[in-house]
Amino acid sequence: GINGRSSLLFLDAATVRDKLEADPWIREATVQKLYPGRLQIDVTERKPFALWQEDGRVSVIDEDGTVLEPYVARRFVSLPLVVGKGAASRASEFLKLLSNYPQVKSAVKAVVFVGERRWNLRLGNKLDVRLPEHGLEDALAVLTKAEAEDHLFSRDITAIDLRLPDRLTVRLSAEAAKAREDMLNKDKKAKRKLGDA
């Protein structure tokens, strides 16, 4: 609202600051009148941190969860994707923890906040990893070790569950479950034949 004919004397610096800070991209603004005819404006911008998806809508958020844009421009597609109610404000803490486990982080396509209390990982190969509400570091360490030793992410499974502290469980894909069942049935038949002989 400032033009070449505006009087610096009648300009309300607080109102100008409030208008600037109403823009979600501006974290903080200071406005100073420097008489006789200068106005100094300093702004601290927010930085895009992640993409947040809730109810099918994707937004760009900063580190504290403030929505910067209600849509996704092409320049933001490389940002991490966080999904779910409450995920925007909790994503920073979780993504910092996840960065301590680069082998896992490199496979993650999205992190999903479940029930506003715990996280799931969605890997690029559509494998779901269910993490516990408490003991996240231990669960991520177990997951990292399992991937390093057993190449768990490339197995024929659809889910890994780490919610129980004393075990890691997996869900086989439909094809792998059928192959396992066929193998077990074949073993049973072979044992019966041996028992008959």
Side-chain angles (χ1 to χ4, degrees):
I2 300 169
N3 57 43
R5 298 183 312 259
S6 300
S7 170
L8 193 61
L9 183 63
F10 298 112
L11 178 72
D12 184 1
T15 301
V16 173
R17 184 194 68 233
D18 291 345
K19 283 182 181 180
L20 287 168
E21 289 179 349
D23 184 322
W25 282 93
I26 298 177
R27 180 181 302 277
E28 184 180 16
T30 57
V31 178
Q32 295 178 327
K33 298 193 282 186
L34 305 173
Y35 292 103
R38 286 187 16 208
L39 183 65
Q40 180 175 324
I41 299 174
D42 294 311
V43 296
T44 304
E45 292 186 9
R46 295 180 186 272
K47 292 181 174 43
F49 175 73
L51 301 177
W52 172 47
Q53 180 180 338
E54 184 181 34
D55 298 329
R57 292 185 311 267
V58 178
S59 303
V60 179
I61 60 171
D62 81 337
E63 198 167 350
D64 67 8
T66 301
V67 174
L68 303 178
E69 289 189 14
Y71 56 88
V72 179
R74 234 177 155 59
R75 62 189 171 139
F76 300 123
V77 295
S78 63
L79 293 174
L81 176 64
V82 297
V83 180
K85 184 177 180 182
S89 60
R90 302 272 302 274
S92 174
E93 178 185 335
F94 179 72
L95 290 173
K96 283 178 187 168
L97 174 64
L98 188 60
S99 67
N100 295 330
Y101 303 90
Q103 191 172 9
V104 174
K105 185 180 180 186
S106 65
V108 172
K109 182 178 180 182
V111 294
V112 181
F113 201 42
V114 180
E116 295 186 62
R117 59 185 180 81
R118 66 172 195 81
W119 294 95
N120 281 354
L121 304 175
R122 179 73 174 205
L123 306 187
N125 61 357
K126 297 187 178 169
L127 178 63
D128 284 316
V129 179
R130 298 174 183 136
L131 296 172
E133 185 174 356
H134 304 290
L136 271 173
E137 289 186 50
D138 293 339
L140 289 169
V142 167
L143 185 62
T144 299
K145 183 178 178 187
E147 170 57 15
E149 293 176 358
D150 301 322
H151 307 289
L152 197 59
F153 298 165
S154 58
R155 297 285 179 117
D156 199 4
I157 56 178
T158 59
I160 301 169
D161 196 335
L162 293 156
R163 292 178 291 179
L164 296 173
D166 62 336
R167 70 189 71 157
L168 176 148
T169 56
V170 297
R171 181 189 310 146
L172 297 173
S173 69
E175 297 83 18
K178 183 170 180 358
R180 183 176 188 279
E181 187 177 324
D182 291 345
M183 182 187 73
L184 291 174
N185 288 336
K186 191 184 281 189
D187 285 348
K188 284 180 186 177
K189 287 179 185 177
K191 286 180 182 177
R192 278 190 217 140
K193 284 184 181 178
L194 286 174
D196 293 343

PDB file of all heavy atoms in Angstrom, residues 127-130 143 146 150-153 155-164 167-173 176-177 180:
ATOM      1  N   LEU A 127       6.223 -51.216   0.003  1.00  0.00           N
ATOM      2  CA  LEU A 127       6.317 -51.964   1.247  1.00  0.00           C
ATOM      3  C   LEU A 127       5.994 -51.016   2.401  1.00  0.00           C
ATOM      4  O   LEU A 127       6.489 -49.900   2.459  1.00  0.00           O
ATOM      5  CB  LEU A 127       7.742 -52.511   1.398  1.00  0.00           C
ATOM      6  CG  LEU A 127       8.096 -53.284   2.652  1.00  0.00           C
ATOM      7  CD1 LEU A 127       7.265 -54.555   2.759  1.00  0.00           C
ATOM      8  CD2 LEU A 127       9.574 -53.643   2.632  1.00  0.00           C
ATOM      9  N   ASP A 128       5.112 -51.455   3.308  1.00  0.00           N
ATOM     10  CA  ASP A 128       4.748 -50.658   4.476  1.00  0.00           C
ATOM     11  C   ASP A 128       5.524 -51.142   5.693  1.00  0.00           C
ATOM     12  O   ASP A 128       5.586 -52.338   5.951  1.00  0.00           O
ATOM     13  CB  ASP A 128       3.250 -50.774   4.769  1.00  0.00           C
ATOM     14  CG  ASP A 128       2.409 -49.959   3.810  1.00  0.00           C
ATOM     15  OD1 ASP A 128       2.774 -48.811   3.530  1.00  0.00           O
ATOM     16  OD2 ASP A 128       1.382 -50.483   3.329  1.00  0.00           O
ATOM     17  N   VAL A 129       6.079 -50.189   6.443  1.00  0.00           N
ATOM     18  CA  VAL A 129       6.798 -50.497   7.678  1.00  0.00           C
ATOM     19  C   VAL A 129       6.042 -49.822   8.814  1.00  0.00           C
ATOM     20  O   VAL A 129       5.899 -48.596   8.826  1.00  0.00           O
ATOM     21  CB  VAL A 129       8.257 -49.992   7.638  1.00  0.00           C
ATOM     22  CG1 VAL A 129       8.967 -50.305   8.941  1.00  0.00           C
ATOM     23  CG2 VAL A 129       9.003 -50.587   6.447  1.00  0.00           C
ATOM     24  N   ARG A 130       5.545 -50.633   9.739  1.00  0.00           N
ATOM     25  CA  ARG A 130       4.775 -50.108  10.874  1.00  0.00           C
ATOM     26  C   ARG A 130       5.702 -49.953  12.069  1.00  0.00           C
ATOM     27  O   ARG A 130       6.240 -50.937  12.567  1.00  0.00           O
ATOM     28  CB  ARG A 130       3.625 -51.046  11.194  1.00  0.00           C
ATOM     29  CG  ARG A 130       2.674 -51.133  10.021  1.00  0.00           C
ATOM     30  CD  ARG A 130       1.594 -52.149  10.235  1.00  0.00           C
ATOM     31  NE  ARG A 130       0.792 -52.201   9.029  1.00  0.00           N
ATOM     32  CZ  ARG A 130       0.384 -53.310   8.465  1.00  0.00           C
ATOM     33  NH1 ARG A 130       0.675 -54.475   9.013  1.00  0.00           N
ATOM     34  NH2 ARG A 130      -0.333 -53.274   7.365  1.00  0.00           N
ATOM     35  N   LEU A 143      15.434 -52.379  12.024  1.00  0.00           N
ATOM     36  CA  LEU A 143      15.095 -52.352  10.601  1.00  0.00           C
ATOM     37  C   LEU A 143      16.348 -52.196   9.739  1.00  0.00           C
ATOM     38  O   LEU A 143      16.514 -52.887   8.726  1.00  0.00           O
ATOM     39  CB  LEU A 143      14.113 -51.216  10.335  1.00  0.00           C
ATOM     40  CG  LEU A 143      13.548 -51.114   8.931  1.00  0.00           C
ATOM     41  CD1 LEU A 143      12.755 -52.363   8.573  1.00  0.00           C
ATOM     42  CD2 LEU A 143      12.655 -49.877   8.811  1.00  0.00           C
ATOM     43  N   ALA A 146      18.242 -55.499   9.789  1.00  0.00           N
ATOM     44  CA  ALA A 146      17.553 -56.514   8.981  1.00  0.00           C
ATOM     45  C   ALA A 146      17.752 -56.267   7.484  1.00  0.00           C
ATOM     46  O   ALA A 146      17.940 -57.208   6.715  1.00  0.00           O
ATOM     47  CB  ALA A 146      16.064 -56.545   9.316  1.00  0.00           C
ATOM     48  N   ASP A 150      19.764 -59.114   5.746  1.00  0.00           N
ATOM     49  CA  ASP A 150      18.837 -60.006   5.048  1.00  0.00           C
ATOM     50  C   ASP A 150      18.190 -59.395   3.810  1.00  0.00           C
ATOM     51  O   ASP A 150      17.328 -60.034   3.194  1.00  0.00           O
ATOM     52  CB  ASP A 150      17.718 -60.443   6.012  1.00  0.00           C
ATOM     53  CG  ASP A 150      18.270 -61.159   7.228  1.00  0.00           C
ATOM     54  OD1 ASP A 150      19.233 -61.927   7.070  1.00  0.00           O
ATOM     55  OD2 ASP A 150      17.743 -60.931   8.334  1.00  0.00           O
ATOM     56  N   HIS A 151      18.560 -58.163   3.453  1.00  0.00           N
ATOM     57  CA  HIS A 151      17.963 -57.479   2.291  1.00  0.00           C
ATOM     58  C   HIS A 151      16.440 -57.551   2.352  1.00  0.00           C
ATOM     59  O   HIS A 151      15.766 -57.910   1.392  1.00  0.00           O
ATOM     60  CB  HIS A 151      18.496 -58.059   0.975  1.00  0.00           C
ATOM     61  CG  HIS A 151      19.988 -58.066   0.917  1.00  0.00           C
ATOM     62  ND1 HIS A 151      20.723 -56.915   0.787  1.00  0.00           N
ATOM     63  CD2 HIS A 151      20.879 -59.084   1.010  1.00  0.00           C
ATOM     64  CE1 HIS A 151      22.016 -57.221   0.783  1.00  0.00           C
ATOM     65  NE2 HIS A 151      22.138 -58.530   0.928  1.00  0.00           N
ATOM     66  N   LEU A 152      15.912 -57.183   3.487  1.00  0.00           N
ATOM     67  CA  LEU A 152      14.490 -57.308   3.776  1.00  0.00           C
ATOM     68  C   LEU A 152      13.615 -56.511   2.808  1.00  0.00           C
ATOM     69  O   LEU A 152      12.536 -56.959   2.432  1.00  0.00           O
ATOM     70  CB  LEU A 152      14.230 -56.847   5.213  1.00  0.00           C
ATOM     71  CG  LEU A 152      12.935 -57.244   5.863  1.00  0.00           C
ATOM     72  CD1 LEU A 152      12.787 -58.760   5.898  1.00  0.00           C
ATOM     73  CD2 LEU A 152      12.859 -56.685   7.268  1.00  0.00           C
ATOM     74  N   PHE A 153      14.073 -55.339   2.373  1.00  0.00           N
ATOM     75  CA  PHE A 153      13.258 -54.474   1.519  1.00  0.00           C
ATOM     76  C   PHE A 153      13.025 -55.064   0.134  1.00  0.00           C
ATOM     77  O   PHE A 153      12.098 -54.674  -0.552  1.00  0.00           O
ATOM     78  CB  PHE A 153      13.881 -53.085   1.380  1.00  0.00           C
ATOM     79  CG  PHE A 153      13.999 -52.324   2.674  1.00  0.00           C
ATOM     80  CD1 PHE A 153      14.809 -51.209   2.751  1.00  0.00           C
ATOM     81  CD2 PHE A 153      13.308 -52.705   3.809  1.00  0.00           C
ATOM     82  CE1 PHE A 153      14.926 -50.485   3.932  1.00  0.00           C
ATOM     83  CE2 PHE A 153      13.420 -52.001   5.001  1.00  0.00           C
ATOM     84  CZ  PHE A 153      14.234 -50.886   5.054  1.00  0.00           C
ATOM     85  N   ARG A 155      12.600 -58.370  -0.410  1.00  0.00           N
ATOM     86  CA  ARG A 155      11.921 -59.657  -0.280  1.00  0.00           C
ATOM     87  C   ARG A 155      10.488 -59.561  -0.802  1.00  0.00           C
ATOM     88  O   ARG A 155       9.950 -58.480  -0.986  1.00  0.00           O
ATOM     89  CB  ARG A 155      11.891 -60.106   1.190  1.00  0.00           C
ATOM     90  CG  ARG A 155      13.250 -60.337   1.796  1.00  0.00           C
ATOM     91  CD  ARG A 155      13.832 -61.633   1.271  1.00  0.00           C
ATOM     92  NE  ARG A 155      15.145 -61.875   1.805  1.00  0.00           N
ATOM     93  CZ  ARG A 155      15.446 -62.893   2.575  1.00  0.00           C
ATOM     94  NH1 ARG A 155      14.534 -63.762   2.926  1.00  0.00           N
ATOM     95  NH2 ARG A 155      16.680 -63.054   2.991  1.00  0.00           N
ATOM     96  N   ASP A 156       9.854 -60.728  -0.975  1.00  0.00           N
ATOM     97  CA  ASP A 156       8.487 -60.788  -1.489  1.00  0.00           C
ATOM     98  C   ASP A 156       7.495 -60.640  -0.329  1.00  0.00           C
ATOM     99  O   ASP A 156       6.774 -61.577   0.025  1.00  0.00           O
ATOM    100  CB  ASP A 156       8.286 -62.123  -2.232  1.00  0.00           C
ATOM    101  CG  ASP A 156       7.099 -62.074  -3.177  1.00  0.00           C
ATOM    102  OD1 ASP A 156       6.486 -60.995  -3.303  1.00  0.00           O
ATOM    103  OD2 ASP A 156       6.785 -63.111  -3.770  1.00  0.00           O
ATOM    104  N   ILE A 157       7.496 -59.439   0.270  1.00  0.00           N
ATOM    105  CA  ILE A 157       6.621 -59.153   1.403  1.00  0.00           C
ATOM    106  C   ILE A 157       5.893 -57.836   1.155  1.00  0.00           C
ATOM    107  O   ILE A 157       6.328 -57.019   0.336  1.00  0.00           O
ATOM    108  CB  ILE A 157       7.401 -59.090   2.735  1.00  0.00           C
ATOM    109  CG1 ILE A 157       8.534 -58.062   2.660  1.00  0.00           C
ATOM    110  CG2 ILE A 157       7.944 -60.450   3.114  1.00  0.00           C
ATOM    111  CD1 ILE A 157       9.324 -57.896   3.950  1.00  0.00           C
ATOM    112  N   THR A 158       4.787 -57.628   1.878  1.00  0.00           N
ATOM    113  CA  THR A 158       4.023 -56.389   1.706  1.00  0.00           C
ATOM    114  C   THR A 158       4.088 -55.489   2.934  1.00  0.00           C
ATOM    115  O   THR A 158       3.774 -54.307   2.841  1.00  0.00           O
ATOM    116  CB  THR A 158       2.538 -56.682   1.402  1.00  0.00           C
ATOM    117  OG1 THR A 158       1.984 -57.443   2.472  1.00  0.00           O
ATOM    118  CG2 THR A 158       2.394 -57.431   0.084  1.00  0.00           C
ATOM    119  N   ALA A 159       4.450 -56.044   4.102  1.00  0.00           N
ATOM    120  CA  ALA A 159       4.498 -55.227   5.317  1.00  0.00           C
ATOM    121  C   ALA A 159       5.525 -55.784   6.303  1.00  0.00           C
ATOM    122  O   ALA A 159       5.745 -56.992   6.378  1.00  0.00           O
ATOM    123  CB  ALA A 159       3.126 -55.175   5.977  1.00  0.00           C
ATOM    124  N   ILE A 160       6.122 -54.850   7.038  1.00  0.00           N
ATOM    125  CA  ILE A 160       7.026 -55.177   8.139  1.00  0.00           C
ATOM    126  C   ILE A 160       6.440 -54.498   9.376  1.00  0.00           C
ATOM    127  O   ILE A 160       6.141 -53.306   9.347  1.00  0.00           O
ATOM    128  CB  ILE A 160       8.452 -54.638   7.886  1.00  0.00           C
ATOM    129  CG1 ILE A 160       9.026 -55.227   6.601  1.00  0.00           C
ATOM    130  CG2 ILE A 160       9.352 -54.913   9.079  1.00  0.00           C
ATOM    131  CD1 ILE A 160      10.316 -54.560   6.144  1.00  0.00           C
ATOM    132  N   ASP A 161       6.274 -55.266  10.432  1.00  0.00           N
ATOM    133  CA  ASP A 161       5.677 -54.721  11.658  1.00  0.00           C
ATOM    134  C   ASP A 161       6.696 -54.762  12.790  1.00  0.00           C
ATOM    135  O   ASP A 161       7.176 -55.829  13.161  1.00  0.00           O
ATOM    136  CB  ASP A 161       4.435 -55.523  12.031  1.00  0.00           C
ATOM    137  CG  ASP A 161       3.563 -54.804  13.043  1.00  0.00           C
ATOM    138  OD1 ASP A 161       4.091 -53.962  13.808  1.00  0.00           O
ATOM    139  OD2 ASP A 161       2.350 -55.076  13.079  1.00  0.00           O
ATOM    140  N   LEU A 162       7.026 -53.582  13.316  1.00  0.00           N
ATOM    141  CA  LEU A 162       7.989 -53.457  14.411  1.00  0.00           C
ATOM    142  C   LEU A 162       7.329 -52.935  15.684  1.00  0.00           C
ATOM    143  O   LEU A 162       8.005 -52.452  16.581  1.00  0.00           O
ATOM    144  CB  LEU A 162       9.116 -52.504  13.993  1.00  0.00           C
ATOM    145  CG  LEU A 162      10.005 -53.016  12.870  1.00  0.00           C
ATOM    146  CD1 LEU A 162      10.668 -51.870  12.143  1.00  0.00           C
ATOM    147  CD2 LEU A 162      11.030 -53.969  13.420  1.00  0.00           C
ATOM    148  N   ARG A 163       6.004 -53.056  15.772  1.00  0.00           N
ATOM    149  CA  ARG A 163       5.297 -52.479  16.916  1.00  0.00           C
ATOM    150  C   ARG A 163       5.497 -53.269  18.202  1.00  0.00           C
ATOM    151  O   ARG A 163       5.335 -52.733  19.282  1.00  0.00           O
ATOM    152  CB  ARG A 163       3.809 -52.337  16.600  1.00  0.00           C
ATOM    153  CG  ARG A 163       3.568 -51.272  15.526  1.00  0.00           C
ATOM    154  CD  ARG A 163       2.130 -51.157  15.164  1.00  0.00           C
ATOM    155  NE  ARG A 163       1.711 -52.363  14.449  1.00  0.00           N
ATOM    156  CZ  ARG A 163       0.478 -52.567  14.009  1.00  0.00           C
ATOM    157  NH1 ARG A 163      -0.463 -51.675  14.220  1.00  0.00           N
ATOM    158  NH2 ARG A 163       0.178 -53.669  13.362  1.00  0.00           N
ATOM    159  N   LEU A 164       5.842 -54.531  18.097  1.00  0.00           N
ATOM    160  CA  LEU A 164       6.136 -55.318  19.299  1.00  0.00           C
ATOM    161  C   LEU A 164       7.634 -55.234  19.560  1.00  0.00           C
ATOM    162  O   LEU A 164       8.440 -55.471  18.658  1.00  0.00           O
ATOM    163  CB  LEU A 164       5.705 -56.769  19.113  1.00  0.00           C
ATOM    164  CG  LEU A 164       4.191 -56.968  18.919  1.00  0.00           C
ATOM    165  CD1 LEU A 164       3.888 -58.415  18.582  1.00  0.00           C
ATOM    166  CD2 LEU A 164       3.434 -56.531  20.153  1.00  0.00           C
ATOM    167  N   ARG A 167      10.064 -58.445  18.665  1.00  0.00           N
ATOM    168  CA  ARG A 167      10.078 -59.167  17.389  1.00  0.00           C
ATOM    169  C   ARG A 167       9.789 -58.273  16.193  1.00  0.00           C
ATOM    170  O   ARG A 167       9.203 -57.219  16.326  1.00  0.00           O
ATOM    171  CB  ARG A 167       9.087 -60.325  17.418  1.00  0.00           C
ATOM    172  CG  ARG A 167       7.635 -59.883  17.414  1.00  0.00           C
ATOM    173  CD  ARG A 167       6.717 -61.018  17.650  1.00  0.00           C
ATOM    174  NE  ARG A 167       6.879 -61.382  19.042  1.00  0.00           N
ATOM    175  CZ  ARG A 167       5.989 -62.021  19.761  1.00  0.00           C
ATOM    176  NH1 ARG A 167       4.888 -62.401  19.221  1.00  0.00           N
ATOM    177  NH2 ARG A 167       6.194 -62.286  21.023  1.00  0.00           N
ATOM    178  N   LEU A 168      10.212 -58.767  15.059  1.00  0.00           N
ATOM    179  CA  LEU A 168       9.923 -58.148  13.776  1.00  0.00           C
ATOM    180  C   LEU A 168       9.063 -59.161  13.026  1.00  0.00           C
ATOM    181  O   LEU A 168       9.449 -60.330  12.903  1.00  0.00           O
ATOM    182  CB  LEU A 168      11.233 -57.884  13.028  1.00  0.00           C
ATOM    183  CG  LEU A 168      11.164 -57.333  11.615  1.00  0.00           C
ATOM    184  CD1 LEU A 168      12.372 -56.444  11.364  1.00  0.00           C
ATOM    185  CD2 LEU A 168      11.075 -58.399  10.570  1.00  0.00           C
ATOM    186  N   THR A 169       7.896 -58.757  12.553  1.00  0.00           N
ATOM    187  CA  THR A 169       7.043 -59.675  11.803  1.00  0.00           C
ATOM    188  C   THR A 169       6.844 -59.129  10.393  1.00  0.00           C
ATOM    189  O   THR A 169       6.905 -57.910  10.176  1.00  0.00           O
ATOM    190  CB  THR A 169       5.668 -59.881  12.478  1.00  0.00           C
ATOM    191  OG1 THR A 169       5.040 -58.607  12.646  1.00  0.00           O
ATOM    192  CG2 THR A 169       5.812 -60.550  13.823  1.00  0.00           C
ATOM    193  N   VAL A 170       6.610 -60.026   9.471  1.00  0.00           N
ATOM    194  CA  VAL A 170       6.396 -59.622   8.078  1.00  0.00           C
ATOM    195  C   VAL A 170       5.110 -60.254   7.555  1.00  0.00           C
ATOM    196  O   VAL A 170       4.678 -61.297   8.044  1.00  0.00           O
ATOM    197  CB  VAL A 170       7.585 -60.023   7.164  1.00  0.00           C
ATOM    198  CG1 VAL A 170       8.852 -59.322   7.576  1.00  0.00           C
ATOM    199  CG2 VAL A 170       7.777 -61.511   7.114  1.00  0.00           C
ATOM    200  N   ARG A 171       4.512 -59.598   6.576  1.00  0.00           N
ATOM    201  CA  ARG A 171       3.360 -60.164   5.883  1.00  0.00           C
ATOM    202  C   ARG A 171       3.809 -60.492   4.467  1.00  0.00           C
ATOM    203  O   ARG A 171       4.304 -59.630   3.741  1.00  0.00           O
ATOM    204  CB  ARG A 171       2.201 -59.185   5.825  1.00  0.00           C
ATOM    205  CG  ARG A 171       0.996 -59.840   5.118  1.00  0.00           C
ATOM    206  CD  ARG A 171      -0.137 -58.904   4.798  1.00  0.00           C
ATOM    207  NE  ARG A 171      -0.551 -58.099   5.915  1.00  0.00           N
ATOM    208  CZ  ARG A 171      -0.991 -56.850   5.778  1.00  0.00           C
ATOM    209  NH1 ARG A 171      -1.064 -56.284   4.596  1.00  0.00           N
ATOM    210  NH2 ARG A 171      -1.359 -56.164   6.833  1.00  0.00           N
ATOM    211  N   LEU A 172       3.637 -61.752   4.095  1.00  0.00           N
ATOM    212  CA  LEU A 172       4.025 -62.185   2.763  1.00  0.00           C
ATOM    213  C   LEU A 172       3.055 -61.638   1.725  1.00  0.00           C
ATOM    214  O   LEU A 172       1.880 -61.433   2.020  1.00  0.00           O
ATOM    215  CB  LEU A 172       4.024 -63.717   2.688  1.00  0.00           C
ATOM    216  CG  LEU A 172       5.020 -64.451   3.584  1.00  0.00           C
ATOM    217  CD1 LEU A 172       4.779 -65.951   3.510  1.00  0.00           C
ATOM    218  CD2 LEU A 172       6.437 -64.117   3.193  1.00  0.00           C
ATOM    219  N   SER A 173       3.543 -61.467   0.517  1.00  0.00           N
ATOM    220  CA  SER A 173       2.644 -61.110  -0.575  1.00  0.00           C
ATOM    221  C   SER A 173       1.758 -62.320  -0.860  1.00  0.00           C
ATOM    222  O   SER A 173       2.043 -63.444  -0.421  1.00  0.00           O
ATOM    223  CB  SER A 173       3.446 -60.729  -1.821  1.00  0.00           C
ATOM    224  OG  SER A 173       4.078 -61.878  -2.351  1.00  0.00           O
ATOM    225  N   ALA A 176       3.769 -65.083  -2.528  1.00  0.00           N
ATOM    226  CA  ALA A 176       4.714 -65.735  -1.628  1.00  0.00           C
ATOM    227  C   ALA A 176       3.980 -66.604  -0.614  1.00  0.00           C
ATOM    228  O   ALA A 176       4.446 -67.699  -0.272  1.00  0.00           O
ATOM    229  CB  ALA A 176       5.572 -64.695  -0.918  1.00  0.00           C
ATOM    230  N   ALA A 177       2.826 -66.160  -0.125  1.00  0.00           N
ATOM    231  CA  ALA A 177       2.045 -66.947   0.832  1.00  0.00           C
ATOM    232  C   ALA A 177       1.562 -68.240   0.181  1.00  0.00           C
ATOM    233  O   ALA A 177       1.600 -69.313   0.790  1.00  0.00           O
ATOM    234  CB  ALA A 177       0.868 -66.133   1.353  1.00  0.00           C
ATOM    235  N   ARG A 180       4.507 -70.614  -0.239  1.00  0.00           N
ATOM    236  CA  ARG A 180       4.853 -71.199   1.056  1.00  0.00           C
ATOM    237  C   ARG A 180       3.863 -72.296   1.429  1.00  0.00           C
ATOM    238  O   ARG A 180       4.243 -73.368   1.895  1.00  0.00           O
ATOM    239  CB  ARG A 180       4.880 -70.109   2.127  1.00  0.00           C
ATOM    240  CG  ARG A 180       5.308 -70.630   3.486  1.00  0.00           C
ATOM    241  CD  ARG A 180       5.416 -69.479   4.500  1.00  0.00           C
ATOM    242  NE  ARG A 180       5.990 -69.934   5.745  1.00  0.00           N
ATOM    243  CZ  ARG A 180       5.321 -70.553   6.706  1.00  0.00           C
ATOM    244  NH1 ARG A 180       4.035 -70.794   6.559  1.00  0.00           N
ATOM    245  NH2 ARG A 180       5.924 -70.944   7.822  1.00  0.00           N
TER     246      ARG A 180
END
